[in-house]
Amino acid sequence: MERSFAKEVKKLKLGDGEVFEGEGILAITKALLQSGVSYVGGYQGAPVSHLIDVMADARDILDDYGIHFEASGSEAGAAAMCAASINYPMRGAVVWKSTVGTNVASDALSNLASAGVMGGAVIVLGEDYGEGASIIQERSHAFAMKSQIWLMDPRPDLTRIVDLVESAFELSEASNTPVMMEFRIRACHMHGSFVCKDNRRSAISRNDVLTEPDFDYARICMPPATYAQEKHKIEKRFPAAIDFVRANRLNETFPGDLDEIGVIVQGGLYNSVLRTLQQLGLADAYGNARVPIHCLNVTYPLVPDEIAGFCDGKRTVLIVEEGQPAYLEEAINALLRRHNSATMVIGKDVLPMAGEYTGEVLLNGVAKYLEGSVPPGVDLGPIGAEVERVVELKAKAAELLGNPIPKRPPSFCTGCPERPVFSAIKLVERDLGKIHIAADIGCHTISTLPPFNLGNSVLGYGLGLSSAAAVAPVFGKRVVSIMGDGGFWHNGLTNGVTSAVFNRSDGILVIMNNGYSSATGQQYIPSTGKNFAEVPTGQTIRAALKGVGVDWIKTVTTYRVTEMKKTLKEAMTTAEKGLKVIIAESECQLAKQRRLKPLIRKKLADGARVVRTRFGVDDTVCTGDHSCIRISGCPSLSVKPNPDPLRRDPVAHVENSCVGCGLCGEVADAAALCPSFYRADIVQNPSAFDSWLDGVRRRFIGRLQGVAA
Ligand code: SF4
Ligand code: SF4
């Protein structure tokens, strides 16, 4: 895993009255234990991967409480785990990245929401929206509304978050409905503290097992039960949820003296709004604002009388709702009209419809709102001046920088085993012409960016091969699909490979087998060889491919560019029809470095011999055309001034960050570029033979230099 939480996990054992200090995602995990869960599952994805990692590291605690933890095969599998809460009074939580994960889970979610739950079921969503996001920009809100699953968006404050997680289970049970809790990137990674409660044991667990199955046809999602379930949702569960939210004050109202105006904000954006008001001189550093704020920790369902009450007597309210469509703004507008309220609703008029509400966006939007609503007792001069000040600061910064800052697209890590595959594809294209590449989700999606620019479409996790289905038959050349090992097990084996074999498709699939779900933090997957409990699994990609009927399978070490190029060319040109799979194998370099670092440190401390391989470029040979950089894209490959006064082009240079993967040398060889690259082995704690050999070499080189002189 990317990070070990072994130390932090100890905090999960804290008891009543003790103070927890740490990261938001760890606080959420502690809140699950305090809520008495019987099961936890999920699928990794930023910004909530760490919840899975923490659970994997907390095995002794889970065992003690009899909690079942499962690293699910996909988000759909995780959502289906909640079925335990349909029949039994068992609390459980599942986690994934949204909205992509919610898309995958939506079949199970619809069924879960229709059947309803007896035990509290909470779905923790990493709402990956905005400038730090890595996925399509949509909102989980749509899923909540369409399936009638309640949606919480907690105010980023650890005490409040933990309280709301516990309330989410109670809300779920009070209304027989699963509850989604969305956490933005910053909430997951914020640090803070809260006073703990004791962890709770569930009455049903691996330690206290069930003996009699429950059967109730009313909970099966099939007609006529589904008709009754829909009615139950609307007539019973919906009002029960509203009553619970109101009675337990899950939403919060913060008063202010400017009571002709107000802000209604999604809980997750509360801190940003407060900071904006502070910048505009309308709040202090302790969170006291002059503008009244109604903070929606529950964004679905809304509590109509709560909102109408907040708006009572106000000329206008500003709705701060990130993303689109403007569900909250539309709903609040409608409910105020039904309450015959004269309060004017302002939202997307002053704030953008799309994109993250960063500090700057909110500053401009809130300032516009204040300037338009003219609250009595507020001098608008400093408000406009603050906006102006930020504009001027940005202009000044741009002026000082002179030229625009060069773009730095994301890149594979130094020494990444996936980079050589794309170098090889580039070389094949040089011989065969441009190829249609059906790309996939994972670190390898970076191939779509410079210097490779390889990848014509990305349709979803594990869907690389499926996305080639209609292109391949109409293309004059074989189409190459890419898939990671994570994607292969998530969706690719069934929807991609099995379907391609079933439909007798002719194409090429490259599976990047780097050993982990690398892009999300090196979590274990079936082909890692062991599960999160370090138990061997014996599952391999090759065996799975064979099992579904693939015959043409070649395994190539990714760093062997010449062999990879040859295998790709063979797959492109062979007369053999059908799916051809190349398993591109080498361990994720980031995971490898993390694995090796402590071992090397120990060896050095013990005085043992350690060899580090580094590559370099011979200045006198490099021609300065930099094709090595264009074909490998390694961030450790740079340029430096040409030491030869008669040559003006800068020469290639290998930075100290080189991990010695050897790709640059391989590429130079496979592409017949130049012989500039050399390999050097740096020996620490040399043996007697190393020292003797070094002496011989030095004397020999000295002689040569003497002769040359
Ligand atoms: S995390 Fe691993 S697989 Fe992903 S880019 Fe880095 S080295 Fe490559
Ligand atoms: S050997 Fe070459 S490609 Fe590999 S990390 Fe070093 S500079 Fe980069």
Side-chain angles (χ1 to χ4, degrees):
M1 276 184 306
E2 180 184 41
R3 184 177 151 191
S4 166
F5 284 87
K7 270 192 215 143
E8 286 91 338
V9 157
K10 293 196 183 105
K11 296 178 188 168
L12 299 181
K13 293 181 181 167
L14 294 176
D16 207 22
E18 293 184 280
V19 177
F20 170 105
E21 284 179 2
E23 200 175 358
I25 196 69
L26 199 64
I28 296 165
T29 316
K30 170 71 173 131
L32 299 180
L33 298 177
Q34 292 183 179
S35 303
V37 288
S38 299
Y39 64 91
V40 179
Y43 195 83
Q44 56 270 4
V48 285
S49 290
H50 288 170
L51 198 150
I52 313 257
D53 299 345
V54 170
M55 283 295 175
D57 278 346
R59 286 190 295 282
D60 59 330
I61 304 176
L62 302 185
D63 288 346
D64 183 22
Y65 285 87
I67 298 168
H68 175 68
F69 168 68
E70 192 150 320
S72 310
S74 74
E75 297 83 352
M81 269 181 89
C82 294
S85 299
I86 295 177
N87 295 98
Y88 306 102
M90 287 167 66
R91 287 186 171 183
V94 291
V95 58
W96 58 74
K97 171 194 190 91
S98 198
T99 54
V100 282
T102 315
N103 288 333
V104 176
S106 60
D107 190 5
L109 283 179
S110 293
N111 283 279
L112 176 72
S114 188
V117 295
M118 190 186 289
V122 170
I123 299 150
V124 178
L125 302 177
E127 190 75 354
D128 200 23
Y129 185 88
E131 292 179 359
S134 58
I135 55 162
I136 36 174
Q137 297 294 274
E138 291 183 356
R139 298 177 61 185
S140 303
H141 204 103
F143 288 90
M145 291 198 305
K146 83 159 180 66
S147 296
Q148 276 102 29
I149 296 174
W150 317 140
L151 181 64
M152 284 181 152
D153 189 350
R155 174 163 68 85
D157 169 275
L158 289 201
T159 301
R160 195 64 186 135
I161 286 175
V162 169
D163 288 347
L164 286 167
V165 169
E166 293 175 21
S167 299
F169 284 102
E170 291 164 13
L171 168 63
S172 176
E173 284 158 5
S175 58
N176 304 114
T177 302
V179 175
M180 287 176 169
M181 300 191 82
E182 63 175 31
F183 293 96
R184 292 172 178 76
I185 299 169
R186 289 187 192 89
C188 289
H189 300 309
M190 69 180 283
H191 278 67
S193 63
F194 69 94
V195 179
C196 298
K197 292 182 195 150
D198 286 336
N199 294 335
R200 273 178 56 185
R201 282 179 198 281
S202 169
I204 304 169
S205 73
R206 292 175 87 145
N207 298 339
D208 297 283
V209 298
L210 294 159
T211 49
E212 291 298 324
D214 167 80
F215 178 76
D216 182 353
Y217 183 75
R219 299 199 190 103
I220 305 291
C221 294
M222 233 177 82
T226 40
Y227 307 131
Q229 287 165 1
E230 188 190 15
K231 266 172 85 75
H232 197 246
K233 271 184 181 178
I234 300 307
E235 291 171 3
K236 294 274 190 292
R237 301 182 207 167
F238 201 82
I242 291 176
D243 288 348
F244 185 93
V245 174
R246 184 195 300 110
N248 291 279
R249 298 178 184 277
L250 299 192
N251 297 319
E252 301 165 278
T253 298
F254 299 90
D257 65 289
L258 301 174
D259 50 14
E260 282 192 22
I261 59 169
V263 175
I264 300 177
V265 59
Q266 288 168 301
L269 295 181
Y270 174 82
N271 291 358
S272 310
V273 166
L274 209 55
R275 169 70 184 132
T276 302
L277 291 173
Q278 190 197 355
Q279 270 183 288
L280 296 174
L282 295 174
D284 64 21
Y286 302 99
N288 304 305
R290 292 191 63 197
V291 181
I293 302 174
H294 185 59
C295 173
L296 294 173
N297 293 313
V298 182
T299 49
Y300 182 78
L302 294 174
V303 182
D305 46 308
E306 239 178 42
I307 289 176
F310 176 75
C311 294
D312 199 22
K314 299 197 187 311
R315 281 190 291 113
T316 69
V317 286
L318 173 67
I319 313 295
V320 179
E321 176 187 16
E322 193 174 60
Q324 44 70 41
Y327 296 116
L328 293 175
E329 186 178 336
E330 299 297 337
I332 291 170
N333 235 325
L335 80 84
L336 288 180
R337 301 297 80 86
R338 274 191 217 111
H339 276 77
N340 288 324
S341 168
T343 307
M344 181 187 286
V345 173
I346 310 287
K348 300 294 183 189
D349 325 59
V350 294
L351 286 161
M353 186 62 106
E356 183 176 340
Y357 283 3
T358 58
E360 189 186 354
V361 168
L362 278 174
L363 187 76
N364 290 330
V366 174
K368 269 189 213 157
Y369 168 69
L370 292 166
E371 283 164 352
S373 55
V374 201
V378 174
D379 179 2
L380 293 176
I383 287 173
E386 178 61 15
V387 174
E388 214 34 58
R389 189 183 70 83
V390 174
V391 171
E392 281 166 14
L393 263 180
K394 283 188 77 175
K396 183 82 186 156
E399 188 190 312
L400 287 174
L401 285 167
N403 298 319
I405 303 171
K407 283 185 186 155
R408 294 180 59 196
S411 172
F412 294 102
C413 299
T414 299
C416 173
E418 301 186 348
R419 179 182 284 114
V421 178
F422 297 102
S423 300
I425 294 176
K426 277 263 172 216
L427 296 176
V428 171
E429 280 195 330
R430 200 170 62 171
D431 296 345
L432 300 183
K434 283 282 187 195
I435 301 170
H436 179 98
I437 311 275
D440 206 308
I441 303 277
C443 293
H444 43 86
T445 323
I446 293 169
S447 70
T448 56
L449 295 165
F452 298 114
N453 300 109
L454 291 172
N456 298 72
S457 61
V458 177
L459 263 291
Y461 194 30
L463 292 174
L465 183 55
S466 311
S467 67
V471 180
V474 299
F475 221 73
K477 235 187 273 160
R478 284 198 175 115
V479 163
V480 174
S481 309
I482 310 286
M483 202 185 276
D485 44 4
F488 174 79
W489 294 110
H490 179 268
N491 212 344
L493 175 62
T494 48
N495 279 315
V497 180
T498 309
S499 176
V501 175
F502 179 65
N503 288 294
R504 295 277 169 255
S505 309
D506 186 23
I508 299 163
L509 170 64
V510 178
I511 301 175
M512 303 287 190
N513 186 19
N514 63 29
Y516 312 87
S517 171
S518 293
T520 54
Q522 287 99 38
Q523 287 82 13
Y524 292 174
I525 50 176
S527 45
T528 303
K530 52 190 174 181
N531 67 15
F532 74 95
E534 306 289 333
V535 176
T537 53
Q539 293 163 291
T540 67
I541 292 175
R542 179 174 277 272
L545 290 169
K546 283 263 171 218
V548 295
V550 182
D551 294 323
W552 200 105
I553 308 170
K554 310 257 173 189
T555 301
V556 183
T557 301
T558 62
Y559 295 108
R560 296 198 186 125
V561 177
T562 307
E563 192 184 337
M564 181 63 74
K565 180 183 157 194
K566 195 169 141 253
T567 313
L568 274 165
K569 263 181 113 168
E570 184 193 337
M572 289 292 289
T573 52
T574 176
E576 200 174 322
K577 297 279 178 210
L579 182 65
K580 285 155 275 292
V581 181
I582 301 171
I583 305 174
E585 209 157 66
S586 287
E587 186 180 6
C588 161
Q589 187 67 231
L590 208 58
K592 187 175 170 187
Q593 294 297 324
R594 283 182 177 133
R595 187 170 56 75
L596 292 182
K597 236 183 207 163
L599 300 179
I600 291 174
R601 211 178 300 132
K602 178 158 186 330
K603 270 187 160 183
L604 287 174
D606 294 347
R609 181 177 185 267
V610 172
V611 181
R612 274 192 306 130
T613 300
R614 293 278 307 277
F615 277 72
V617 172
D618 188 337
D619 298 346
T620 54
V621 182
C622 175
T623 60
D625 86 329
H626 311 139
S627 38
C628 52
I629 294 175
R630 285 192 295 276
I631 297 183
S632 98
C634 174
S636 292
L637 272 181
S638 183
V639 288
K640 69 173 190 185
N642 200 319
D644 183 343
L646 299 179
R647 293 194 299 155
R648 296 174 61 189
D649 288 330
V651 290
H653 171 67
V654 177
E655 301 278 356
N656 266 342
S657 52
C658 164
V659 293
C661 74
L663 170 64
C664 47
E666 276 278 338
V667 158
D669 180 49
L673 291 178
C674 68
S676 317
F677 286 89
Y678 64 82
R679 174 188 150 153
D681 286 343
I682 302 163
V683 184
Q684 287 169 284
N685 295 332
S687 64
F689 177 73
D690 290 323
S691 303
W692 174 80
L693 194 62
D694 180 55
V696 171
R697 282 173 175 158
R698 278 176 196 275
R699 280 195 296 278
F700 182 67
I701 292 168
R703 269 197 184 184
L704 286 179
Q705 284 173 335
V707 169

